[in-house]
Amino acid sequence: MRILAIETSCDETAVAILECAGDETSASFTVLGNALLSQVEQHRAYGGVYPSLAKREHAKNLVPLLEAALEEAELLHEDRQAIGEDMRENIGSILAREETLGESLLAFLEETEAPEVDAIAVTSGPGLEPALWVGISFAKALALLWRKPLYGINHMEGHILSALATSTGDNQLVLRNRDLPILALLISGGHTELVSMNPWLNYRLIGQTLDDAVGEAFDKVGRMLDLPYPGGPEISRLAENARSTPRETDLALPRPMIHSPTCEFSFAGLKTAVMYLLKNRPALKDEERERLAQEFEDAVADVLWSKTERALEMTGARTLVLGGGVSANTHIRRIFTENMRSYPDVALALPSPKLTTDNAIMIGMAGYFRSLQKAEIAPESLRADGNLSLA
Ligand code: KG4
Ligand code: ZN
């Protein structure tokens, strides 16, 4: 089965085409085409993701990315297609709110044969609703025109599958470490949560942040340190510099809620602690800024690990998954890899760099599992849900 997958939940526009085979336990994937554009440069000027800019960029980029993914998959065949008046109107009204996307899609469709894909999967949440709607409307129009089944996908499920995916050769992916229960620590710009999966693709929320997401804390602290957006990779760079020359420092930050007997997190207090520290010491030298970045990362990693350890004991998990943009963080990966040596019976699954950040491959993999479950959705029923949860 060939799936066309679309992702537009935040500031990455992505289209992928996957050839999928096997049943729920033996699924395997071949990435036939993968096209992605990050908008991070455009958002940098605003110090964060600017929703109406994200929406406009998705609308501008989806058709070129679809074309690129189809071309890579050798599924792009030029041919003149007459699109009936009724269908033009339908597509026009589905894409009415998506800037010029309707016109560019119709122009593209009139020049190409319907490609040999069997289903369409699109992120329906969580994320920025104006951004999600662009991808959803686009997917609906394609599903209607090509008469293909449509699947709405939870972005966080994509992040979990990304961590389980392992490459078995050129563009081939299979899932490993599937022993249940699976515990997932999902850490991104909008999320910080521990969920357990058992049975396969059925979720229970174990704990989440009471305020800021960890990626949000990284980005806000980055701004306080005058670092460009997104702050996460920049703080990581400073902190790794500091670690390369260890030295005593009096820059201490709290570990919020580390002793509370739950799996809940709080990062707002940590961010505020950084703010006060900077107020009290306005003229921090470069080296001290690096030490502060290190202390911030240490505090984040300590809290994440301590809550995850509690959740491992609570759930009896056999596999621990890290997912979401913050799971790219070198220090967090290192701490989890080291600490998991005390849990030889639990496998640790970390996403490869290519699958750590937002992408459409993960949406295609989730789409395949949803198609095996026959969870097709009628195009008119699919809606964006910015707060869509797994459990
Ligand atoms: O999953 P993602 O790409 O988008 C969302 O769905 O939010 O995550 C983006 C977040 C941003 O907050 C960014 O600062 C953070 O992931 N991030 C990092 C690193 N790379 C990205 N945070 C810490 N260290 C990193 N290396
Ligand atoms: Zn994400």
Side-chain angles (χ1 to χ4, degrees):
M1 175 185 216
R2 213 169 275 162
I3 295 195
L4 173 72
I6 297 156
E7 156 66 39
T8 65
S9 67
C10 192
D11 58 352
E12 254 96 31
T13 323
V15 177
I17 300 162
L18 267 60
E19 182 76 58
C20 315
D23 60 18
E24 202 170 81
T25 54
S26 68
S28 65
F29 308 90
T30 308
V31 181
L32 301 177
N34 181 35
L36 184 143
L37 255 178
S38 169
Q39 307 169 4
V40 77
E41 295 299 331
Q42 284 98 312
H43 292 285
R44 192 160 283 154
Y46 300 91
V49 180
Y50 190 58
S52 64
L53 174 64
K55 175 178 147 86
R56 197 178 340 130
E57 288 294 309
H58 289 313
K60 190 172 87 192
N61 295 330
L62 273 172
V63 172
L65 289 174
L66 172 66
E67 190 171 351
L70 287 171
E71 179 145 40
E72 189 190 350
E74 297 181 5
L75 293 171
L76 188 69
H77 304 297
E78 285 186 15
D79 195 7
R80 288 216 66 79
Q81 301 289 322
I83 297 174
E85 212 34 59
D86 283 2
M87 189 55 83
R88 292 188 79 85
E89 262 178 36
N90 246 331
I91 291 179
S93 72
I94 291 172
L95 292 168
R97 288 183 301 165
E98 315 307 345
E99 318 254 338
T100 55
L101 180 56
E103 288 156 40
S104 59
L105 180 60
L106 280 166
F108 172 74
L109 293 170
E110 279 175 334
E111 288 171 8
T112 45
E113 248 177 46
E116 289 161 19
V117 297
D118 304 299
I120 295 167
V122 62
T123 306
S124 61
L128 299 168
E129 285 192 3
L132 287 163
W133 269 117
V134 186
I136 290 175
S137 304
F138 186 67
K140 282 183 186 191
L142 294 177
L144 205 73
L145 182 78
W146 295 338
R147 297 178 201 280
K148 300 298 173 195
L150 180 65
Y151 300 93
I153 301 302
N154 185 311
H155 179 86
M156 302 316 283
E157 179 162 272
H159 276 306
I160 294 177
L161 295 175
S162 288
L164 296 175
T166 185
S167 166
T168 54
D170 251 9
N171 298 319
Q172 306 283 328
L173 295 169
V174 295
L175 303 188
R176 46 145 196 192
N177 297 324
R178 294 191 34 169
D179 286 344
L180 298 169
I182 290 173
L183 177 68
L185 172 66
L186 298 173
I187 41 181
S188 70
H191 281 77
T192 300
E193 60 190 25
L194 281 158
V195 292
S196 102
M197 184 207 284
N198 195 14
W200 182 243
L201 303 192
N202 278 268
Y203 302 96
R204 187 160 61 94
L205 180 67
I206 305 296
Q208 62 185 330
T209 180
L210 301 176
D211 40 58
D212 290 359
V214 61
E216 194 180 347
F218 266 102
D219 295 340
K220 286 179 179 164
V221 169
R223 228 170 290 155
M224 291 178 209
L225 293 173
D226 295 324
L227 297 168
Y229 171 83
E234 296 289 328
I235 289 180
S236 172
R237 189 172 52 77
L238 297 189
E240 288 296 297
N241 255 349
R243 283 187 195 98
S244 67
T245 50
R247 201 163 292 157
E248 282 295 306
T249 164
D250 60 346
L251 297 167
L253 292 171
R255 271 62 175 160
M257 292 183 72
I258 200 161
H259 298 300
S260 82
T262 68
C263 292
E264 276 161 347
F265 306 89
S266 165
F267 291 103
L270 180 57
K271 170 194 75 188
T272 313
V274 173
M275 193 181 79
Y276 281 120
L277 196 149
L278 289 171
K279 244 187 201 152
N280 291 334
R281 302 172 66 157
L284 274 195
K285 295 195 205 77
D286 283 354
E287 199 219 314
E288 287 170 315
R289 269 159 45 97
E290 292 186 351
R291 299 276 162 224
L292 180 59
Q294 175 187 1
E295 171 65 5
F296 172 76
E297 248 188 9
D298 285 347
V300 167
D302 285 352
V303 175
L304 290 177
W305 170 254
S306 140
K307 298 292 174 175
T308 302
E309 189 167 36
R310 187 184 291 278
L312 281 174
E313 315 264 331
M314 270 172 58
T315 55
R318 306 279 310 280
T319 301
L320 172 65
V321 160
L322 253 58
V326 183
S327 66
N329 184 274
T330 309
H331 183 63
I332 295 173
R333 283 181 171 241
R334 186 166 49 217
I335 291 292
F336 274 71
T337 305
E338 282 169 9
N339 292 350
M340 284 302 285
R341 296 207 183 106
S342 316
Y343 290 85
D345 301 332
V346 186
L348 174 65
L350 299 172
S352 69
K354 182 173 155 191
L355 292 178
T356 301
T357 45
D358 290 348
N359 64 85
I361 295 172
M362 67 185 196
I363 303 306
M365 292 193 290
Y368 183 56
F369 287 110
R370 294 302 171 190
S371 81
L372 292 175
Q373 296 175 338
K374 313 224 178 304
E376 180 183 338
I377 183 162
E380 60 278 15
S381 307
L382 186 60
R383 304 187 61 78
D385 180 352
N387 297 316
L388 186 66
S389 63
L390 281 173

